[in-house]
Amino acid sequence: MSRIDQALNIEDLRKIARKKLPKPLFNYIDGGADDESNVLGNAHAYGAVKLVPEYLVDVANIDLKTKVLGREISMPLFLGPTGMSRLFHHDGETAVSKAAAEAGTYYALSTVGATSIEDVASACNGPKCFQIYVMKDRGLTREFIQRCKDANYDSLMLTVDIPVAGNRERELRYGFTMPPKLNLAGIIGFAARPGWVYRALTHPQAILANVAHKIPDGSSQSTSLMEYIATQFDSSVTWKDLEWMISEWGGPFVIKGLLSPSDARKAVDAGVTAVSVSNHGGRQLDGALSAFEALGPIVDEVGGECEIICDGGIRRGTHVLKALASGATACSIGRPYLYGLAAGGQAGVAKALELLRAEIERDMGLLGCTSISEISGKHIA
Ligand SMILES: Cc1cc2nc3c(=O)[nH]c(=O)nc-3n(C[C@H](O)[C@H](O)[C@H](O)COP(=O)(O)O)c2cc1C
Protein backbone atom coordinates (compact mmCIF):
# COMPACT_ATOMS: atom_id res chain seq x y z
CA MET A 1 0.00 0.00 0.00
CA SER A 2 1.65 3.24 -1.06
CA ARG A 3 -1.04 5.41 -2.67
CA ILE A 4 -3.70 7.30 -0.79
CA ASP A 5 -6.35 6.53 -3.43
CA GLN A 6 -5.92 2.83 -2.58
CA ALA A 7 -6.55 3.39 1.14
CA LEU A 8 -9.75 1.73 2.31
CA ASN A 9 -9.59 2.90 5.90
CA ILE A 10 -7.61 4.95 8.43
CA GLU A 11 -5.27 2.04 9.18
CA ASP A 12 -4.25 2.00 5.49
CA LEU A 13 -3.35 5.71 5.73
CA ARG A 14 -1.35 4.94 8.87
CA LYS A 15 0.66 2.33 6.95
CA ILE A 16 1.47 4.83 4.18
CA ALA A 17 2.46 7.45 6.77
CA ARG A 18 4.79 4.93 8.40
CA LYS A 19 6.57 4.37 5.07
CA LYS A 20 6.95 8.06 4.32
CA LEU A 21 7.92 9.59 7.66
CA PRO A 22 11.28 9.41 9.43
CA LYS A 23 10.90 7.05 12.39
CA PRO A 24 11.13 9.76 15.08
CA LEU A 25 8.23 11.63 13.44
CA PHE A 26 6.04 8.58 12.87
CA ASN A 27 6.57 7.57 16.47
CA TYR A 28 5.83 11.10 17.65
CA ILE A 29 2.37 10.84 16.04
CA ASP A 30 1.71 7.20 16.82
CA GLY A 31 3.03 6.92 20.36
CA GLY A 32 1.63 7.68 23.78
CA ALA A 33 2.58 7.87 27.44
CA ASP A 34 4.26 5.08 29.50
CA ASP A 35 3.02 1.68 28.26
CA GLU A 36 0.67 3.32 25.73
CA SER A 37 -2.27 1.35 27.10
CA ASN A 38 -4.56 4.30 26.40
CA VAL A 39 -3.53 4.68 22.76
CA LEU A 40 -5.07 1.37 21.72
CA GLY A 41 -7.45 1.41 24.69
CA ASN A 42 -9.18 4.53 23.35
CA ALA A 43 -10.16 2.69 20.15
CA HIS A 44 -10.84 -0.67 21.82
CA ALA A 45 -13.25 0.94 24.31
CA TYR A 46 -15.84 1.32 21.55
CA GLY A 47 -15.90 -2.49 21.29
CA ALA A 48 -17.52 -2.76 24.72
CA VAL A 49 -20.75 -1.29 23.35
CA LYS A 50 -22.77 -2.84 20.50
CA LEU A 51 -24.99 -1.13 17.96
CA VAL A 52 -28.70 -2.02 17.77
CA PRO A 53 -30.00 -1.44 14.21
CA GLU A 54 -33.65 -0.94 13.30
CA TYR A 55 -34.84 -2.00 9.83
CA LEU A 56 -37.54 -1.20 7.27
CA VAL A 57 -36.79 2.51 7.67
CA ASP A 58 -36.49 4.70 4.53
CA VAL A 59 -32.77 5.59 4.53
CA ALA A 60 -32.58 6.76 0.91
CA ASN A 61 -31.54 10.25 2.05
CA ILE A 62 -29.15 10.60 4.95
CA ASP A 63 -28.21 13.98 6.38
CA LEU A 64 -24.98 14.13 8.40
CA LYS A 65 -25.13 17.82 9.26
CA THR A 66 -25.03 18.96 12.85
CA LYS A 67 -24.13 22.02 14.90
CA VAL A 68 -21.24 22.46 17.29
CA LEU A 69 -19.54 25.48 18.88
CA GLY A 70 -21.77 27.95 17.11
CA ARG A 71 -21.30 26.58 13.57
CA GLU A 72 -23.08 24.07 11.38
CA ILE A 73 -20.72 21.31 10.27
CA SER A 74 -21.29 18.81 7.47
CA MET A 75 -20.80 15.74 9.65
CA PRO A 76 -20.48 15.05 13.40
CA LEU A 77 -16.68 14.90 13.21
CA PHE A 78 -13.98 17.57 13.21
CA LEU A 79 -10.21 17.95 13.36
CA GLY A 80 -8.78 18.47 16.84
CA PRO A 81 -5.58 20.39 17.59
CA THR A 82 -2.16 18.83 16.98
CA GLY A 83 1.17 20.58 17.50
CA MET A 84 3.76 21.19 14.76
CA SER A 85 1.77 19.53 11.95
CA ARG A 86 4.18 20.99 9.38
CA LEU A 87 6.75 18.44 10.51
CA PHE A 88 4.67 15.70 8.89
CA HIS A 89 4.16 17.47 5.57
CA HIS A 90 5.56 20.81 4.39
CA ASP A 91 2.03 22.19 3.80
CA GLY A 92 1.17 21.43 7.46
CA GLU A 93 -1.66 23.29 9.17
CA THR A 94 -2.57 25.16 5.97
CA ALA A 95 -3.29 21.86 4.21
CA VAL A 96 -5.22 20.53 7.20
CA SER A 97 -7.35 23.66 7.57
CA LYS A 98 -8.14 23.75 3.83
CA ALA A 99 -9.15 20.09 3.80
CA ALA A 100 -11.41 20.69 6.81
CA ALA A 101 -13.01 23.73 5.16
CA GLU A 102 -13.59 21.82 1.92
CA ALA A 103 -15.18 19.00 3.89
CA GLY A 104 -17.36 21.58 5.68
CA THR A 105 -16.08 20.89 9.17
CA TYR A 106 -14.21 22.56 12.01
CA TYR A 107 -10.44 22.74 12.34
CA ALA A 108 -8.80 23.48 15.69
CA LEU A 109 -5.36 25.06 15.39
CA SER A 110 -2.93 24.29 18.23
CA THR A 111 -1.03 26.98 20.15
CA VAL A 112 2.07 24.98 19.26
CA GLY A 113 1.18 24.83 15.57
CA ALA A 114 3.79 25.59 12.93
CA THR A 115 1.44 28.01 11.14
CA SER A 116 0.20 31.22 12.70
CA ILE A 117 -3.33 32.10 13.79
CA GLU A 118 -3.45 34.67 10.97
CA ASP A 119 -2.07 32.42 8.21
CA VAL A 120 -4.58 29.68 9.00
CA ALA A 121 -7.35 32.30 8.98
CA SER A 122 -6.38 33.46 5.52
CA ALA A 123 -6.04 29.89 4.17
CA CYS A 124 -9.25 28.55 5.64
CA ASN A 125 -12.75 29.91 5.17
CA GLY A 126 -14.38 27.14 7.21
CA PRO A 127 -15.20 27.02 10.93
CA LYS A 128 -12.06 27.65 13.00
CA CYS A 129 -11.20 27.10 16.63
CA PHE A 130 -7.97 28.06 18.39
CA GLN A 131 -6.62 25.71 21.05
CA ILE A 132 -5.01 27.68 23.82
CA TYR A 133 -3.11 27.06 27.03
CA VAL A 134 -2.98 29.43 29.97
CA MET A 135 0.64 30.59 29.68
CA LYS A 136 2.79 31.81 32.59
CA ASP A 137 2.85 35.13 30.78
CA ARG A 138 -0.86 36.00 30.96
CA GLY A 139 -0.11 38.84 28.54
CA LEU A 140 0.71 36.21 25.89
CA THR A 141 -2.57 34.39 26.57
CA ARG A 142 -4.43 37.71 26.28
CA GLU A 143 -2.57 38.44 23.05
CA PHE A 144 -3.63 35.06 21.58
CA ILE A 145 -7.25 35.78 22.44
CA GLN A 146 -7.11 39.21 20.78
CA ARG A 147 -5.43 37.77 17.68
CA CYS A 148 -8.19 35.14 17.41
CA LYS A 149 -10.84 37.85 17.68
CA ASP A 150 -9.10 39.92 14.98
CA ALA A 151 -8.79 36.89 12.71
CA ASN A 152 -12.47 35.92 13.20
CA TYR A 153 -12.01 32.57 14.87
CA ASP A 154 -15.34 31.00 15.79
CA SER A 155 -14.38 29.42 19.08
CA LEU A 156 -11.65 28.94 21.66
CA MET A 157 -10.54 25.62 23.18
CA LEU A 158 -8.63 25.44 26.46
CA THR A 159 -6.66 22.21 26.89
CA VAL A 160 -6.33 21.34 30.57
CA ASP A 161 -4.79 17.86 30.62
CA ILE A 162 -1.16 19.02 30.47
CA PRO A 163 -0.51 20.24 34.02
CA VAL A 164 2.85 18.53 33.51
CA ALA A 165 4.27 16.82 30.41
CA GLY A 166 3.40 13.15 29.77
CA ASN A 167 6.15 10.51 29.65
CA ARG A 168 6.40 9.55 25.97
CA GLU A 169 9.18 7.03 25.76
CA ARG A 170 9.12 6.65 21.96
CA GLU A 171 10.15 10.32 21.77
CA LEU A 172 12.91 9.85 24.35
CA ARG A 173 14.33 6.88 22.45
CA TYR A 174 15.12 9.12 19.47
CA GLY A 175 15.93 12.27 21.40
CA PHE A 176 12.85 13.80 19.81
CA THR A 177 12.13 15.96 22.83
CA MET A 178 11.21 19.60 23.32
CA PRO A 179 13.64 21.08 22.29
CA PRO A 180 14.94 18.14 20.15
CA LYS A 181 18.31 16.59 21.03
CA LEU A 182 18.43 13.83 18.42
CA ASN A 183 20.54 10.81 19.34
CA LEU A 184 22.09 8.31 16.90
CA ALA A 185 18.81 6.40 16.49
CA GLY A 186 17.06 9.68 15.72
CA ILE A 187 19.67 10.74 13.16
CA ILE A 188 19.51 7.32 11.46
CA GLY A 189 15.70 7.57 11.46
CA PHE A 190 15.82 10.85 9.53
CA ALA A 191 18.65 9.68 7.21
CA ALA A 192 16.53 6.67 6.19
CA ARG A 193 13.89 8.99 4.66
CA PRO A 194 15.88 11.17 2.22
CA GLY A 195 12.65 12.23 0.46
CA TRP A 196 11.32 13.78 3.66
CA VAL A 197 14.73 15.37 4.41
CA TYR A 198 14.90 16.87 0.89
CA ARG A 199 11.42 18.38 1.21
CA ALA A 200 12.19 19.71 4.69
CA LEU A 201 15.37 21.39 3.42
CA THR A 202 13.64 22.91 0.39
CA HIS A 203 10.71 24.39 2.33
CA PRO A 204 10.60 26.93 5.18
CA GLN A 205 11.60 25.48 8.55
CA ALA A 206 8.76 24.32 10.83
CA ILE A 207 8.75 26.76 13.75
CA LEU A 208 6.32 27.57 16.56
CA ALA A 209 4.71 30.22 14.41
CA ASN A 210 2.42 31.68 17.07
CA VAL A 211 5.27 32.72 19.32
CA ALA A 212 7.92 33.47 16.66
CA HIS A 213 7.79 37.19 17.56
CA LYS A 214 8.78 36.42 21.16
CA ILE A 215 12.35 35.53 20.22
CA PRO A 216 14.79 38.31 19.28
CA ASP A 217 15.48 38.65 15.53
CA GLY A 218 18.08 36.30 14.20
CA SER A 219 17.58 33.64 16.83
CA SER A 220 14.07 32.50 15.85
CA GLN A 221 15.25 28.97 15.21
CA SER A 222 12.85 26.23 16.17
CA THR A 223 15.10 25.21 19.09
CA SER A 224 15.03 28.63 20.78
CA LEU A 225 11.27 28.86 20.26
CA MET A 226 10.77 25.44 21.80
CA GLU A 227 12.93 26.43 24.77
CA TYR A 228 10.80 29.56 25.13
CA ILE A 229 7.43 27.75 24.95
CA ALA A 230 8.63 25.03 27.33
CA THR A 231 9.16 27.75 29.97
CA GLN A 232 5.67 29.12 29.33
CA PHE A 233 3.61 26.03 30.28
CA ASP A 234 2.06 26.83 33.64
CA SER A 235 1.50 24.04 36.17
CA SER A 236 -0.45 26.31 38.52
CA VAL A 237 -3.54 26.88 36.33
CA THR A 238 -6.89 26.49 38.16
CA TRP A 239 -10.64 26.94 37.61
CA LYS A 240 -10.28 30.69 38.27
CA ASP A 241 -8.14 30.94 35.12
CA LEU A 242 -10.90 29.19 33.15
CA GLU A 243 -13.49 31.74 34.27
CA TRP A 244 -11.10 34.56 33.38
CA MET A 245 -10.50 33.13 29.94
CA ILE A 246 -14.17 32.54 29.17
CA SER A 247 -14.96 36.15 29.99
CA GLU A 248 -11.95 37.49 28.00
CA TRP A 249 -13.08 35.51 24.92
CA GLY A 250 -16.83 36.05 25.17
CA GLY A 251 -17.77 33.47 22.49
CA PRO A 252 -18.20 29.70 22.08
CA PHE A 253 -15.70 28.04 24.43
CA VAL A 254 -14.67 24.41 24.85
CA ILE A 255 -12.64 22.89 27.66
CA LYS A 256 -10.61 19.92 26.39
CA GLY A 257 -9.25 17.02 28.36
CA LEU A 258 -11.87 16.22 31.01
CA LEU A 259 -12.60 12.66 32.16
CA SER A 260 -14.42 13.28 35.43
CA PRO A 261 -18.13 14.20 35.85
CA SER A 262 -17.31 16.55 38.72
CA ASP A 263 -14.85 18.47 36.53
CA ALA A 264 -17.50 18.65 33.81
CA ARG A 265 -19.92 20.11 36.37
CA LYS A 266 -17.34 22.76 37.39
CA ALA A 267 -16.74 23.58 33.71
CA VAL A 268 -20.45 24.04 33.04
CA ASP A 269 -20.79 26.19 36.15
CA ALA A 270 -17.89 28.31 34.85
CA GLY A 271 -19.83 28.86 31.60
CA VAL A 272 -18.27 26.63 28.92
CA THR A 273 -20.19 25.94 25.71
CA ALA A 274 -18.72 22.47 25.34
CA VAL A 275 -16.74 19.82 27.18
CA SER A 276 -14.29 17.73 25.14
CA VAL A 277 -14.02 14.36 26.85
CA SER A 278 -10.43 13.34 26.13
CA ASN A 279 -7.27 11.77 27.51
CA HIS A 280 -5.16 13.62 24.94
CA GLY A 281 -5.03 10.57 22.68
CA GLY A 282 -3.30 8.58 25.43
CA ARG A 283 -0.33 10.95 25.44
CA GLN A 284 -0.60 12.20 29.02
CA LEU A 285 -1.80 10.03 31.94
CA ASP A 286 -1.51 6.40 30.88
CA GLY A 287 -4.04 4.13 32.56
CA ALA A 288 -6.67 6.86 32.63
CA LEU A 289 -10.22 6.24 31.43
CA SER A 290 -10.62 6.22 27.66
CA ALA A 291 -12.65 9.07 26.19
CA PHE A 292 -15.52 6.70 25.37
CA GLU A 293 -15.53 5.14 28.86
CA ALA A 294 -15.62 8.62 30.43
CA LEU A 295 -18.34 9.87 28.09
CA GLY A 296 -21.42 8.20 29.66
CA PRO A 297 -20.88 9.45 33.23
CA ILE A 298 -20.17 12.96 31.92
CA VAL A 299 -23.34 12.89 29.81
CA ASP A 300 -25.26 11.79 32.92
CA GLU A 301 -23.86 14.78 34.84
CA VAL A 302 -24.06 17.63 32.31
CA GLY A 303 -25.88 16.28 29.23
CA GLY A 304 -28.34 18.88 27.92
CA GLU A 305 -26.47 21.71 29.69
CA CYS A 306 -23.55 21.93 27.25
CA GLU A 307 -22.27 20.32 24.06
CA ILE A 308 -20.15 17.21 24.58
CA ILE A 309 -17.32 16.19 22.28
CA CYS A 310 -15.86 12.69 22.31
CA ASP A 311 -12.16 12.88 21.44
CA GLY A 312 -9.93 9.84 21.20
CA GLY A 313 -9.63 6.54 19.37
CA ILE A 314 -12.09 7.35 16.57
CA ARG A 315 -10.97 5.16 13.66
CA ARG A 316 -14.32 4.04 12.23
CA GLY A 317 -17.73 5.50 11.50
CA THR A 318 -19.23 3.06 13.99
CA HIS A 319 -17.12 4.66 16.73
CA VAL A 320 -18.73 8.02 15.95
CA LEU A 321 -22.21 6.47 16.01
CA LYS A 322 -21.56 4.80 19.36
CA ALA A 323 -20.37 8.12 20.82
CA LEU A 324 -23.43 9.97 19.47
CA ALA A 325 -25.77 7.27 20.76
CA SER A 326 -24.11 7.67 24.18
CA GLY A 327 -24.91 11.38 24.20
CA ALA A 328 -22.00 13.11 22.42
CA THR A 329 -22.78 16.12 20.23
CA ALA A 330 -19.84 15.41 17.91
CA CYS A 331 -16.43 13.69 17.83
CA SER A 332 -12.94 14.93 17.07
CA ILE A 333 -9.83 13.23 15.74
CA GLY A 334 -6.07 13.74 15.92
CA ARG A 335 -3.96 10.90 14.50
CA PRO A 336 -6.34 9.85 11.69
CA TYR A 337 -5.88 13.16 9.86
CA LEU A 338 -2.15 13.35 10.70
CA TYR A 339 -1.67 9.94 9.06
CA GLY A 340 -3.49 11.39 6.03
CA LEU A 341 -1.34 14.54 6.12
CA ALA A 342 1.89 12.54 6.23
CA ALA A 343 0.62 10.19 3.52
CA GLY A 344 -0.38 12.89 1.04
CA GLY A 345 -0.64 16.47 2.32
CA GLN A 346 -4.03 18.15 1.86
CA ALA A 347 -5.26 15.30 -0.37
CA GLY A 348 -4.36 12.84 2.38
CA VAL A 349 -6.30 14.78 5.03
CA ALA A 350 -9.23 15.00 2.59
CA LYS A 351 -8.98 11.24 2.09
CA ALA A 352 -9.14 10.61 5.86
CA LEU A 353 -12.24 12.81 6.09
CA GLU A 354 -13.86 11.19 3.03
CA LEU A 355 -13.28 7.69 4.41
CA LEU A 356 -14.79 8.56 7.78
CA ARG A 357 -17.69 10.48 6.22
CA ALA A 358 -18.53 7.52 3.95
CA GLU A 359 -18.40 5.16 6.92
CA ILE A 360 -20.63 7.38 9.09
CA GLU A 361 -23.17 7.70 6.26
CA ARG A 362 -23.19 3.99 5.42
CA ASP A 363 -23.37 3.02 9.10
CA MET A 364 -26.27 5.42 9.71
CA GLY A 365 -28.12 3.73 6.85
CA LEU A 366 -27.37 0.33 8.35
CA LEU A 367 -28.48 1.54 11.77
CA GLY A 368 -31.77 2.92 10.37
CA CYS A 369 -31.12 6.65 10.96
CA THR A 370 -31.40 9.50 8.46
CA SER A 371 -30.33 12.41 10.66
CA ILE A 372 -27.92 12.94 13.55
CA SER A 373 -30.75 13.86 15.92
CA GLU A 374 -32.33 10.42 15.39
CA ILE A 375 -29.31 8.63 16.87
CA SER A 376 -30.06 7.87 20.51
CA GLY A 377 -29.55 5.52 23.43
CA LYS A 378 -31.87 2.91 21.89
CA HIS A 379 -29.21 2.30 19.21
CA ILE A 380 -26.66 0.85 21.65
CA ALA A 381 -26.58 -2.04 24.07
C1 LIG B 1 1.01 14.40 17.31
C2 LIG B 1 -0.07 14.93 18.19
C3 LIG B 1 0.02 16.24 18.67
C4 LIG B 1 -0.98 16.75 19.50
N1 LIG B 1 -0.92 18.06 19.91
C5 LIG B 1 -1.93 18.58 20.66
C6 LIG B 1 -1.92 19.95 21.00
O1 LIG B 1 -1.04 20.71 20.62
N2 LIG B 1 -2.94 20.40 21.78
C7 LIG B 1 -3.97 19.58 22.20
O2 LIG B 1 -4.88 20.05 22.89
N3 LIG B 1 -4.00 18.29 21.85
C8 LIG B 1 -3.01 17.77 21.09
N4 LIG B 1 -3.06 16.45 20.72
C9 LIG B 1 -4.21 15.62 21.13
C10 LIG B 1 -5.32 15.67 20.08
O3 LIG B 1 -5.92 16.94 20.01
C11 LIG B 1 -6.42 14.66 20.39
O4 LIG B 1 -6.85 14.85 21.71
C12 LIG B 1 -5.99 13.20 20.23
O5 LIG B 1 -5.12 13.06 19.13
C13 LIG B 1 -7.25 12.37 20.01
O6 LIG B 1 -6.93 11.02 19.89
P1 LIG B 1 -6.75 10.29 18.47
O7 LIG B 1 -5.38 10.65 17.99
O8 LIG B 1 -6.91 8.87 18.81
O9 LIG B 1 -7.83 10.82 17.54
C14 LIG B 1 -2.08 15.92 19.88
C15 LIG B 1 -2.15 14.61 19.40
C16 LIG B 1 -1.17 14.12 18.56
C17 LIG B 1 -1.31 12.72 18.03
Side-chain angles (χ1 to χ4, degrees):
M1 171 82 48
S2 61
R3 288 177 24 202
I4 53 173
D5 56 359
Q6 294 171 329
L8 296 179
N9 54 43
I10 297 299
E11 178 58 23
D12 285 350
L13 289 177
R14 178 175 174 272
K15 286 181 186 148
I16 302 173
R18 179 176 225 151
K19 279 193 192 152
K20 289 202 165 180
L21 283 177
K23 268 190 182 175
L25 292 184
F26 178 77
N27 283 296
Y28 173 65
I29 299 181
D30 210 50
D34 293 359
D35 298 321
E36 304 189 346
S37 58
N38 278 143
V39 178
L40 282 179
N42 272 345
H44 289 166
Y46 296 96
V49 164
K50 306 294 173 197
L51 289 164
V52 184
E54 292 184 337
Y55 296 116
L56 294 179
V57 177
D58 175 358
V59 291
N61 292 303
I62 296 176
D63 181 5
L64 269 60
K65 285 195 288 302
T66 193
K67 212 179 151 193
V68 70
L69 292 165
R71 292 291 302 260
E72 185 177 89
I73 53 175
S74 66
M75 62 177 150
L77 183 77
F78 69 89
L79 307 185
T82 54
M84 293 295 274
S85 302
R86 199 135 63 79
L87 285 174
F88 315 127
H89 186 279
H90 49 268
D91 291 336
E93 290 82 0
T94 309
V96 178
S97 65
K98 282 184 178 168
E102 279 178 17
T105 195
Y106 244 112
Y107 170 56
L109 171 69
S110 165
T111 291
V112 289
T115 308
S116 71
I117 293 173
E118 293 76 15
D119 287 348
V120 164
S122 36
C124 162
N125 56 9
K128 285 175 289 298
C129 177
F130 182 66
Q131 177 266 314
I132 199 165
Y133 297 107
V134 182
M135 300 295 188
K136 279 192 186 145
D137 174 359
R138 297 293 194 267
L140 179 60
T141 308
R142 213 178 262 119
E143 176 202 304
F144 284 151
I145 294 177
Q146 190 55 49
R147 286 169 62 188
C148 289
K149 286 183 184 173
D150 294 343
N152 290 322
Y153 275 64
D154 299 280
S155 54
L156 199 65
M157 170 184 280
L158 173 67
T159 296
V160 295
D161 55 8
I162 313 200
V164 295
N167 174 46
R168 297 184 211 139
E169 292 172 4
R170 287 205 220 184
E171 292 166 29
L172 298 175
R173 278 188 215 294
Y174 296 101
F176 195 69
T177 47
M178 196 155 162
K181 294 191 184 81
L182 283 190
N183 57 22
L184 187 60
I187 292 166
I188 293 171
F190 277 93
R193 292 289 184 272
W196 182 93
V197 173
Y198 172 76
R199 283 186 292 278
L201 292 175
T202 51
H203 288 86
Q205 199 190 6
I207 56 164
L208 292 167
N210 287 311
V211 290
H213 60 295
K214 288 283 171 185
I215 299 293
D217 275 359
S219 64
S220 64
Q221 298 300 313
S222 50
T223 310
S224 354
L225 286 169
M226 285 186 190
E227 273 162 4
Y228 167 75
I229 203 87
T231 64
Q232 278 298 326
F233 285 106
D234 189 347
S235 301
S236 67
V237 174
T238 67
W239 293 99
K240 283 245 161 312
D241 297 291
L242 172 71
E243 283 169 28
W244 168 76
M245 196 179 267
I246 291 173
S247 72
E248 282 277 317
W249 171 245
F253 191 102
V254 50
I255 184 169
K256 173 171 181 277
L258 299 190
L259 296 171
S260 118
S262 63
D263 275 358
R265 167 56 52 209
K266 286 183 202 154
V268 167
D269 291 347
V272 300
T273 317
V275 168
S276 173
V277 182
S278 174
N279 62 19
H280 212 103
R283 299 165 77 78
Q284 285 295 106
L285 178 65
D286 197 34
L289 285 172
S290 74
F292 186 60
E293 285 165 335
L295 179 65
I298 289 186
V299 169
D300 290 344
E301 178 67 34
V302 295
E305 296 179 60
C306 69
E307 293 168 3
I308 300 177
I309 293 152
C310 182
D311 170 84
I314 300 282
R315 300 293 181 270
R316 289 286 187 185
T318 51
H319 297 165
V320 175
L321 297 194
K322 287 176 182 180
L324 297 183
S326 305
T329 314
C331 298
S332 57
I333 49 173
R335 294 182 186 84
Y337 79 79
L338 290 180
Y339 297 140
L341 179 68
Q346 184 177 337
V349 179
K351 181 72 183 181
L353 285 167
E354 266 164 46
L355 287 169
L356 287 168
R357 177 197 298 280
E359 289 189 18
I360 297 168
E361 186 168 354
R362 181 173 49 243
D363 296 334
M364 277 174 69
L366 290 168
L367 196 60
C369 294
T370 58
S371 71
I372 299 303
S373 60
E374 285 173 16
I375 303 170
S376 72
K378 70 175 180 174
H379 294 109
I380 46 173

